[in-house]
């Protein structure tokens, strides 16, 4: 049986909320009336994020393949140095990358999703290999010739963190491929680092994380989007009069989206505690809106939570969910 990796999924509820927020904001900016089209876009954007995750894993394998070809060529140079004739092949046997290369789960997902980017655009793994082989990380790694799993894993983690993730050329490439990937990249890179750090030496036929934790999380985004949009007028009516000085600019619109999503969770998602909802939207406000937005949103949601509780509009299920 495939060994289990403890990071089994990519998207947390916060990530899903962020995706829903972006979709609602985009829908309102477009002034479209095709709600089902934006809902399809929301689903696709989350699937596209998973494609980006898979491509970054495959990129590590392709960089190793470029290293192998490079070392084969320099060995055959007419005036090769002694080091070039007998290069250190340790990277070609890196035990973590070998697990990725042999992973049926990764191979199957790449084939199923028809992700062949690095075969078509192989100059990107080649350029990253050039950056790696001249780096201090690589120079330190090839001081020895033997492979140790712990050392190999630490090397791959540092290689990804310090060379792959910050590559501007790769960032531009992803931006050209899909606009949503630019916003997705920080989440994807963090997920990859967590995944790499959890790989163990005894993991055979390596499994890879799924996109969602479970079916409930998969449905959460769809339901949050639908229920927020269908009940938006009611929530905005409740907000009216509680937002003095609300600026009518781009960030105000984003704040409105976050507040209506929070109110929707209060009323339509009985298993999510009110405190959890408020905290989640405060964090999203800090990341995506203005510096004062989190204070503003906290005040509005806290005030309406108390009103909703007093009127019986909030009915949470389970202990301590109020």
């Amino acid at each position: 049986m495939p060994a289990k990796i403890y990071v089994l999924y990519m998207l947390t509820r916060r990530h899903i909320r962020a995706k829903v927020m972006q979709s609602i904001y985009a829908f309102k900016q477009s002034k479209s009336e095709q709600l089902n089209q934006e809902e399809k876009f929301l689903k696709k954007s989350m699937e596209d994020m998973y494609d980006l995750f898979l491509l970054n894993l495959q990129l590590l394998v392709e960089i190793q393949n470029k290293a192998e070809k490079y070392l084969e060529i320099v060995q055959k140079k007419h005036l090769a140095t002694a080091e070039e004739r007998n290069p250190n092949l340790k990277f070609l046997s890196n035990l973590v990358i070998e697990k990725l290369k042999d992973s049926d789960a990764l191979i199957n997902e790449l084939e199923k999703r028809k992700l062949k980017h690095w075969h078509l655009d192989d100059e990107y793994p080649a350029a990253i290999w050039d950056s790696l082989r001249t780096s201090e990380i690589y120079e330190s790694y090839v001081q020895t010739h033997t492979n140790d799993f712990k050392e190999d894993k630490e090397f791959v983690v540092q290689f990804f963190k310090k060379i792959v993730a910050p590559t501007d050329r790769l960032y531009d490439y992803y931006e050209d491929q899909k606009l949503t990937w630019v916003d997705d990249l920080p989440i994807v890179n963090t997920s990859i680092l967590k995944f790499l750090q959890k790989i163990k030496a005894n993991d055979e036929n390596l499994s890879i994380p799924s996109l969602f934790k479970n079916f409930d999380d998969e449905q959460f985004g769809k339901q949050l989007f639908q229920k927020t949009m269908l009940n938006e007028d009611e929530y905005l009516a409740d907000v009216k009069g509680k937002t003095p000085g609300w600026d009518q600019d781009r960030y105000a619109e984003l704040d409105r989206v976050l507040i209506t999503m929070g109110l929707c969770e209060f009323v339509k998602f009985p298993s999510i505690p009110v405190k959890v909802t408020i905290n989640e939207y405060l964090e999203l406000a800090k990341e995506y809106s203005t510096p004062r937005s989190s204070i503003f949103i906290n005040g509005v949601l806290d005030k309406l939570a108390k009103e909703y509780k007093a009127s019986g509009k909030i009915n949470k299920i389970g202990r301590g969910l109020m």
Side-chain angles (χ1 to χ4, degrees):
M1 290 180 64
K4 286 192 174 183
I5 295 295
Y6 292 101
V7 181
L8 288 173
Y9 60 97
M10 272 186 58
L11 292 180
T12 66
R13 287 278 177 111
R14 184 175 299 170
H15 297 147
I16 296 169
R17 287 179 176 97
K19 280 288 185 184
V20 173
M21 175 201 71
Q22 291 165 353
S23 292
I24 293 176
Y25 181 80
F27 176 76
K28 295 179 76 61
Q29 293 300 301
S30 69
K31 303 189 185 305
S32 169
E33 295 183 359
Q34 301 297 317
L35 196 62
N36 63 327
Q37 289 297 109
E38 192 59 42
E39 188 181 313
K40 288 178 182 177
F41 179 78
L42 169 63
K43 181 179 179 182
K44 186 176 186 305
S45 71
M46 289 191 281
E47 289 292 337
D48 286 345
M49 179 187 282
Y50 195 55
D51 287 350
L52 183 59
F53 176 82
L54 296 170
L55 281 173
N56 267 321
L57 286 180
Q58 178 63 7
L59 179 59
L60 294 173
V61 175
E62 290 302 320
I63 292 166
Q64 188 190 65
N65 290 338
K66 290 299 178 186
E68 184 174 12
K69 290 177 183 177
Y70 170 83
L71 293 172
E72 285 176 359
I73 291 169
V74 298
Q75 282 180 298
K76 297 174 183 176
K77 282 172 60 176
H78 179 63
L79 297 175
T81 65
E83 184 179 351
E84 288 172 334
R85 283 194 298 272
N86 295 287
N88 189 322
L89 304 179
K90 183 176 180 178
F91 179 56
L92 306 188
S93 304
N94 183 281
L95 298 171
V96 172
I97 296 179
E98 287 299 299
K99 286 187 180 296
L100 293 174
K101 185 183 290 186
D102 296 336
S103 169
D104 289 339
L106 179 57
I107 292 167
N108 291 339
E109 284 294 334
L110 289 166
E111 289 180 354
K112 182 173 76 175
R113 294 167 179 268
K114 297 181 173 57
L115 298 175
K116 301 179 180 179
H117 292 58
W118 310 129
H119 296 292
L120 300 172
D121 300 310
D122 64 343
E123 67 268 27
Y124 293 93
I128 295 173
W129 159 243
D130 286 340
S131 296
L132 174 63
R133 69 184 177 83
T134 56
S135 69
E136 293 181 3
I137 296 170
Y138 186 78
E139 184 180 347
S140 175
Y141 178 63
V142 295
Q143 290 300 308
T144 63
H145 287 72
T146 57
N147 288 94
D148 170 77
F149 189 85
K150 184 177 179 182
E151 182 192 15
D152 281 4
K153 181 164 71 172
E154 180 59 25
F155 168 76
V156 173
V157 167
Q158 293 303 314
F159 165 36
F160 186 85
K161 185 188 297 185
K162 296 182 179 179
I163 295 179
V164 177
T167 299
D168 289 337
R169 190 176 173 188
L170 187 62
Y171 179 93
D172 293 340
Y173 173 75
Y174 285 143
E175 185 177 28
D176 289 341
Q177 295 296 306
K178 282 189 174 71
L179 277 175
T180 56
W181 276 354
V182 175
D183 289 332
D184 295 340
L185 204 51
I187 295 172
V188 168
N189 286 342
T190 299
S191 298
I192 285 176
L193 287 172
K194 288 180 180 179
F195 173 66
L196 292 172
Q197 287 163 343
K198 292 289 184 181
I199 295 176
K200 292 182 171 51
N202 61 354
D203 290 332
E204 296 180 7
N205 199 5
L206 188 68
S207 61
I208 57 173
S210 60
L211 180 58
F212 298 101
K213 180 181 180 180
N214 50 36
F215 181 74
D216 287 345
D217 273 14
E218 186 174 354
Q219 291 297 301
F220 173 67
K222 176 182 177 181
Q223 291 172 0
L224 181 59
F225 178 82
Q226 288 178 340
K227 292 176 180 181
T228 299
M229 294 305 300
L230 292 173
N231 296 279
E232 181 188 33
D233 291 344
E234 177 187 343
Y235 300 141
L236 288 177
D238 290 340
V239 171
K240 193 173 182 180
K242 298 178 176 63
T243 58
W246 198 348
D247 297 331
Q248 299 300 311
D249 57 16
R250 175 181 180 275
Y251 293 107
E253 183 64 57
L254 193 58
D255 291 348
R256 268 194 289 272
V257 170
L258 292 169
I259 288 170
T260 53
M261 287 173 65
L263 296 179
C264 180
E265 282 193 31
F266 286 171
V267 178
K268 303 294 184 181
F269 292 83
S271 65
I272 302 176
V274 167
K275 287 183 179 180
V276 169
T277 292
I278 293 177
N279 287 338
E280 287 294 296
Y281 288 103
L282 292 186
E283 291 304 315
L284 287 174
K286 289 174 185 176
E287 185 171 354
Y288 291 97
S289 200
T290 66
R292 62 187 179 85
S293 288
S294 60
I295 299 171
F296 171 68
I297 290 171
N298 182 53
V300 176
L301 289 180
D302 186 60
K303 188 181 296 183
L304 283 167
K306 290 172 182 174
E307 288 188 12
Y308 281 10
K309 289 174 189 177
S311 66
K313 203 169 183 177
I314 293 179
N315 293 291
K316 297 295 184 180
I317 300 169
R319 291 185 178 179
L321 292 186
M322 296 301 287

